[in-house]
Amino acid sequence: MPRRFVPDLNDIKRTDLAVISREELEDLAWRWHELARSLANRAGEDSTTSSRPPSSDDPYRRDARGKPAAAGAGDDAKASAAPPESAGKADENKPDEKKSAKPAGKQPGAKGSWRCQPIVVSGEVEHPPEVCAACRAALGPDLERRPVSAHNRLELVRGDMALQVTATKHVYFAVRCPCGHDNVARPGVGLRSQIEGRRRNLQMSERCLVGPMLATFIAALSLRFRLPRRKIQELLHDWLALELGVATIERCVHEFGLASEPVVEQLIEEVRAAEIVHLDETPWYQRGVLRWMWVAVTAVTTVHHIGSRRKEELTRLIGEPFLGWLVSDGYGAYRDHPRRQRCLAHLIRKGLALAEGYYGAGAGFGRDLVRDLRRLIERVHDGDGDAEAVKRLMARIKWSCQCNRHEIEKKVRDLAGEILNDWDAVVAFVSDPSLPPTNNEAERALRHAVIARRISFGTRTDEGSRFYAAGLSVIHTCRQRGVEPWAYACSLIAAARASLPLPMIPAKVEA
């Protein structure tokens, strides 16, 4: 209902109804009827009849299994996403008018904090130079070694049903070669994330207090289990008797994201070479400004990307000359691709909204559409070979949409026109049964990010958005391929710190 109707409801008093004319009274009654019907339709919507997430459903209207009683695939909560209260209604084209005067993090001049927990070293690792940098001769253990630097490293040891943090002292030596050249071993220096104007850039190095596995554990708590930095600090202190600063925890999370970025570049190439790609997007917030998280899912690869909602972001994922099939919803950015399968779960939910709402004759159209689409999916999935029955179902769906294309109710005619305008993509899976009729794979891949967005309200910087998307891509791809994600992440961080070639995610092993 237009907003101009609401002041009328506030201004009219009971005594005014006795003096207005019959025509004005009929007009007022009709406007109240339209308002009541609109509100009733909105109140009756849930995750099965709209794009709301299942978490927004009324818990008292769910069945015993914890799911909505009506069947339907979950969505990525596009329509239900709301920016944090501190962000207002800011979008990417409007400057943020409510930015805090204080930047995030420790303020200049604030009192610092230092380590209070003593580090008890349980072992020592020696790092002598092995080859002379001048003559390339091997430096044997018989040559004299001089310690030049050392640092302690905390590492997480994973045992059988046990976790233990150990401290090891890493010592680096200098050795003089018989040729006269002094060789000094130093900790490796790896990837670097440089931001203009930042006081201290992120530099990955082997000279680090936190070891690769402990850094992986911290990244898992943040990315996979959605814990904020302070809660991670509390968990480490209470359960592992380990004191780490918030800045150190932040560094570990960002190290995993920085190490994951080169791997994601390879994953994007694999997505572009795939035969079928599921695509979807959901709102994301970067310091209160509306952004969008995209996801591309194949049978063995998942890639997340945070950017705008423009078509250029889609091109960054799948490339310009993509020749495979896209499985997507009805967003206009996908419609230029000639080989596309439209997600029928979205259309079924819209049909359910008509069938269960106050839309007059449009309710019958919604019921027929839901019934026929579900039957069409079942017939194609079963592959019973009755091609005539499938053709009759397709003809009935198309005829029903044509009959309701000029219906008075806007939602009815919009849905009918949407199906007719995108008809080839709606029924593409009929001629190619290998195509899935729903976009459930992409929606499931976005579900974790949607929950994280509702908890944390997104990210704060471009670097944080890149690292978050890259980390999710690596974790999801490892699980798709049956690779233990945290062992791989540990090797990835270790290689990135030592400036060694980064290991790629192994291919999926067929059972």
Side-chain angles (χ1 to χ4, degrees):
M1 290 295 292
R3 288 289 300 174
R4 65 177 182 272
F5 288 173
V6 178
D8 293 347
L9 297 177
N10 293 331
D11 297 340
I12 293 177
K13 300 178 181 178
R14 185 180 182 89
T15 55
D16 297 333
L17 300 178
V19 297
I20 63 177
S21 65
R22 179 182 179 84
E23 290 77 11
E24 293 175 332
L25 188 61
E26 290 179 353
D27 179 66
L28 183 61
W30 179 253
R31 286 154 60 183
W32 283 350
H33 168 268
E34 290 296 306
L35 177 60
R37 189 175 65 161
S38 175
L39 294 177
N41 288 330
R42 290 178 57 186
E45 291 181 352
D46 57 19
S47 62
T48 65
T49 59
S50 69
S51 293
R52 296 179 182 178
S55 59
S56 67
D57 291 344
D58 185 353
Y60 295 101
R61 298 174 60 183
R62 299 182 183 181
D63 61 9
R65 295 175 297 174
K67 298 181 180 179
D75 196 29
D76 56 3
K78 298 188 186 87
S80 67
E85 295 179 0
S86 61
K89 296 182 179 179
D91 55 31
E92 58 186 354
N93 298 321
K94 185 182 296 183
D96 187 2
E97 299 176 355
K98 296 185 179 181
K99 287 185 178 179
S100 174
K102 294 183 179 180
K106 180 177 176 293
Q107 303 303 313
K111 184 180 179 180
S113 58
W114 290 265
R115 170 172 296 279
C116 300
Q117 182 186 43
I119 297 179
V120 180
V121 176
S122 60
E124 187 172 300
V125 179
E126 297 182 349
H127 299 274
E130 298 178 353
V131 178
C132 178
C135 65
R136 309 307 298 173
L139 302 176
D142 54 327
L143 298 178
E144 182 182 359
R145 300 177 179 178
R146 305 187 312 276
V148 293
S149 66
H151 69 273
N152 297 327
R153 178 182 296 175
L154 301 172
E155 186 60 295
L156 183 69
V157 179
R158 303 170 65 186
D160 295 337
M161 298 186 292
L163 291 177
Q164 181 183 4
V165 177
T166 61
T168 306
K169 184 176 182 180
H170 290 256
V171 184
Y172 294 83
F173 293 89
V175 176
R176 172 168 291 184
C177 181
C179 72
H181 181 75
D182 284 330
N183 298 274
V184 181
R186 294 184 176 87
V189 177
L191 297 180
R192 179 183 179 87
S193 177
Q194 188 165 351
I195 304 295
E196 184 177 356
R198 186 162 61 178
R199 295 181 181 178
R200 186 176 181 180
N201 290 305
L202 175 61
Q203 175 70 67
M204 298 189 68
S205 171
E206 288 184 318
R207 187 181 182 87
C208 187
L209 175 65
V210 180
M213 181 53 73
L214 181 56
T216 299
F217 178 68
I218 293 173
L221 294 177
S222 174
L223 296 177
R224 190 64 183 175
F225 301 102
R226 301 184 284 268
L227 290 182
R229 307 297 189 258
R230 292 290 182 183
K231 292 296 183 182
I232 296 175
Q233 186 183 40
E234 180 181 331
L235 185 148
L236 294 176
H237 179 271
D238 294 348
W239 293 94
L240 296 178
L242 175 63
E243 290 185 5
L244 290 180
V246 175
T248 303
I249 294 172
E250 177 81 1
R251 177 187 176 89
C252 294
V253 177
H254 279 208
E255 278 190 332
F256 176 56
L258 178 59
S260 299
E261 283 191 315
V263 179
V264 173
E265 293 178 3
Q266 178 62 35
L267 298 182
I268 291 177
E269 296 299 323
E270 297 179 11
V271 167
R272 294 177 177 179
E275 181 66 25
I276 300 176
V277 177
H278 295 257
L279 283 165
D280 205 356
E281 76 289 335
T282 190
W284 188 260
Y285 297 98
Q286 182 176 302
R287 203 166 187 174
V289 178
L290 178 62
R291 305 289 294 276
W292 290 82
M293 174 174 281
W294 297 73
V295 67
V297 182
T298 70
V300 294
T301 304
T302 297
V303 174
H304 294 262
H305 172 71
I306 297 176
S308 67
R309 209 187 182 195
R310 292 190 293 268
K311 189 177 179 181
E312 290 77 7
E313 307 292 347
L314 176 62
T315 305
R316 292 182 186 180
L317 279 177
I318 64 173
E320 200 66 54
F322 180 70
L323 303 177
W325 282 94
L326 293 185
V327 183
S328 68
D329 55 20
Y331 179 44
Y334 308 123
R335 295 202 173 193
D336 292 340
H337 191 72
R339 305 181 70 191
R340 183 167 58 90
Q341 169 60 50
R342 179 71 182 273
C343 177
L344 300 191
H346 287 74
L347 300 178
I348 290 175
R349 282 197 296 271
K350 292 181 178 181
L352 283 171
L354 296 180
E356 298 177 5
Y358 300 90
Y359 295 99
F365 167 64
R367 287 191 296 270
D368 293 341
L369 181 65
V370 171
R371 179 198 62 210
D372 292 340
L373 286 177
R374 286 176 173 172
R375 286 182 179 176
L376 183 63
I377 294 174
E378 292 173 359
R379 292 285 176 86
V380 175
H381 178 267
D382 294 340
D384 53 8
D386 191 354
E388 292 300 323
V390 173
K391 290 182 179 179
R392 287 195 299 269
L393 271 175
M394 294 170 57
R396 186 160 59 195
I397 295 172
K398 193 170 187 178
W399 177 82
S400 180
C401 292
Q402 290 171 342
C403 292
N404 289 273
R405 191 167 192 175
H406 304 288
E407 179 65 30
I408 297 177
E409 293 291 343
K410 184 177 184 301
K411 278 197 172 183
V412 177
R413 64 174 183 267
D414 285 351
L415 179 56
E418 181 181 354
I419 295 175
L420 292 175
N421 293 336
D422 214 10
W423 179 251
D424 291 339
V426 171
V427 298
F429 76 104
V430 176
S431 57
D432 188 353
S434 64
L435 287 175
T438 68
N439 199 22
N440 191 44
E441 295 296 329
E443 292 174 352
R444 286 167 60 90
L446 280 178
R447 185 63 186 148
H448 176 86
V450 170
I451 298 174
R453 180 195 66 207
R454 293 167 69 94
I455 295 174
S456 64
F457 300 133
T459 48
R460 294 190 301 187
T461 63
D462 289 332
E463 182 185 58
S465 297
R466 295 198 329 267
F467 291 169
Y468 182 78
L472 287 188
S473 302
V474 169
I475 294 170
H476 288 174
T477 300
C478 285
R479 295 196 178 278
Q480 279 182 285
R481 301 184 181 184
V483 177
E484 208 283 308
W486 310 122
Y488 171 77
C490 179
S491 64
L492 188 65
I493 293 176
R497 287 179 174 180
S499 191
L500 298 175
L502 299 181
M504 294 294 106
I505 303 177
K508 184 175 183 180
V509 179
E510 298 295 339

